[in-house]
Amino acid sequence: MPRPITLFTGQWADLPLAELAPLAKNMGFDGLELACWGDHFDVDQAAASKNYLKEIWDLLQTHGLDCHAISNHLVGQAICDRIDERHQAILSPEIWGDGDPEGVRKRAARQMIKTARAARKFFDARPGGPGAFPAVVNGFTGSSIWHSIYAFPPTSQAYWDAGFADFGRRWLPILDAFDKVDVNFALEVHPTEIAFDIASAQQALAAVHGHKRFGFNYDPSHLAYQHVDYVKFIRTFADRIYHAHMKDVWWGHGDGTVGVFGGHTAFGDARRHWDFRSLGHGDIHFEEIIVALNDIRYTGPLSIEWEDIRMDRIHGATEASAFVRKIDFPASGLVFDAAFSKKK
């Protein structure tokens, strides 16, 4: 069966879920990947109230939508980061508290554990049962060492090793909590996170001792402009792809003023070396991705994270859902040349 096409609601959090759900259906989506901000998925209410869970599922079903994952990137970012005033803008007052960095990190970790419990309750409340796709929470981890990339004074390997050790120390208890409720955590590999390419993803996996609940929310757009092989990533982590984002990007389209680091310029600046694009308008080869996902037998959703500052988002998301539906195809169930065999 074709994989469900879903919409990540993170970039649509300005719209109430009651307004976004019918819009998503009209744009051609099969379901939503619910972000834990705006009013799309309230972790505290989901953990405490069966009525709240029923309200969400009733709303989704009314519009013919399903849900296969929730995402809590904002809270996850604060768990390992070097906390500054930017984090206050993305965190709740309860997690920010007095802004003491270590206090913020600990409160964020507790909230991520609560997110796992809320996800378990949410998917258990799904009409018809939890479904075949494992419960998954997508998100970020933050990083205590991202700032040291290409840094001066020079960064030692010991400094980086300490950063991965910090990540492991903070996340292993969280992953154990995820395991207790049978939920997977999928890190969206991304610059500023503990894992941002294949090598750092391997280091992150080792730092949590290969914990079975730690995997990846695959997103080619964050790899490609770095010149990381985004198809190789799928094959390298075949058993750790817990969710997949479909998102496009182009690179090499600037005027030579700004490099791959972004030059402190905003998205949409024509000088930029790279920018996110609506699906089919960038440089990602999506057919190679579909082939690789078929090869590893990934059967989960293809979730569109729509970002393109140059395009109207309703036009773009509608076009993107049709694009992904067209390029997706099921894996073969037979050997194509078996018919030539003389054996009966």
Side-chain angles (χ1 to χ4, degrees):
M1 294 292 292
R3 286 166 279 235
I5 310 302
T6 62
L7 176 68
F8 175 42
T9 70
Q11 288 77 16
W12 306 72
D14 57 307
L15 299 179
L17 186 58
E19 184 178 339
L20 178 58
L23 176 61
K25 188 63 178 180
N26 288 338
M27 291 190 296
F29 290 95
D30 301 316
L32 298 177
E33 173 196 344
L34 293 172
C36 297
W37 54 93
D39 78 338
H40 297 179
F41 190 89
D42 186 304
V43 169
D44 294 327
Q45 288 196 65
S49 171
K50 291 182 179 180
N51 287 336
Y52 177 75
L53 301 176
K54 185 177 184 302
E55 288 172 3
I56 296 179
W57 281 116
D58 285 349
L59 175 62
L60 293 175
Q61 288 216 309
T62 294
H63 299 290
L65 297 171
D66 205 342
C67 180
H68 305 276
I70 64 172
S71 293
N72 206 351
H73 294 66
L74 308 187
V75 166
Q77 187 68 39
I79 294 173
C80 289
D81 257 12
R82 296 161 66 93
I83 303 298
D84 61 39
E85 66 271 14
R86 296 170 302 154
H87 294 82
Q88 186 174 12
I90 65 171
L91 297 172
S92 69
E94 292 76 18
I95 295 175
W96 179 255
D98 62 2
D100 174 70
E102 189 58 22
V104 172
R105 295 184 195 105
K106 289 180 178 179
R107 288 187 291 273
R110 289 195 293 268
Q111 188 69 4
M112 186 59 74
I113 290 172
K114 183 183 283 189
T115 303
R117 295 169 181 160
R120 180 73 275 154
K121 291 182 177 181
F122 177 64
F123 289 112
D124 283 349
R126 180 180 179 269
F133 188 66
V136 61
V137 173
N138 299 318
F140 289 153
T141 60
S143 172
S144 65
I145 53 174
W146 168 254
H147 70 286
S148 68
I149 300 297
Y150 202 64
F152 191 87
T155 307
S156 68
Q157 187 62 53
Y159 188 97
W160 287 328
D161 289 345
F164 281 98
D166 175 75
F167 159 71
R169 177 176 62 84
R170 294 181 186 278
W171 274 88
L172 275 168
I174 299 171
L175 295 171
D176 286 343
F178 269 67
D179 193 35
K180 287 180 181 178
V181 292
D182 192 23
V183 176
N184 290 331
F185 176 76
L187 166 62
E188 187 169 335
V189 175
H190 186 295
T192 75
E193 307 312 313
I194 195 64
F196 53 90
D197 59 13
I198 293 173
S200 56
Q202 290 170 324
Q203 290 172 285
L205 188 57
V208 293
H209 312 306
H211 200 294
K212 68 180 183 179
R213 296 300 175 181
F214 182 75
F216 303 110
N217 175 36
Y218 173 73
D219 187 326
S221 70
H222 303 304
L223 301 169
Y225 73 84
Q226 298 184 71
H227 301 285
V228 175
D229 189 327
Y230 53 87
V231 177
K232 182 178 181 179
F233 187 98
I234 296 172
R235 301 188 187 282
T236 301
F237 301 106
D239 62 342
R240 298 284 176 162
I241 305 297
Y242 291 163
H243 192 263
H245 271 180
M246 295 287 102
K247 185 175 165 189
D248 212 342
V249 65
W250 72 5
W251 59 94
H253 294 263
D255 67 357
T257 302
V258 178
V260 71
F261 296 131
H264 298 304
T265 57
F267 290 120
D269 190 317
R271 297 172 295 171
R272 285 176 61 92
H273 175 71
W274 66 273
D275 240 320
F276 296 126
R277 296 303 317 275
S278 190
L279 275 85
H281 294 274
D283 296 324
I284 297 289
H285 296 289
F286 282 98
E287 183 164 350
E288 294 183 28
I289 290 172
I290 297 301
V291 168
L293 290 175
N294 282 348
D295 285 350
I296 69 166
R297 301 299 177 183
Y298 173 80
T299 59
L302 301 177
S303 188
I304 292 171
E305 183 180 15
W306 193 87
E307 292 182 355
D308 189 330
I309 200 167
R310 293 177 169 88
M311 186 181 292
D312 174 80
R313 67 178 176 178
I314 295 176
H315 171 89
T318 303
E319 184 183 63
S321 67
F323 175 84
V324 173
R325 203 172 298 281
K326 181 178 179 180
I327 62 163
D328 188 29
F329 55 88
S332 175
L334 52 82
V335 178
F336 71 90
D337 60 355
F340 295 108
S341 174
K342 294 182 180 181
K343 295 180 180 180
K344 299 296 185 182

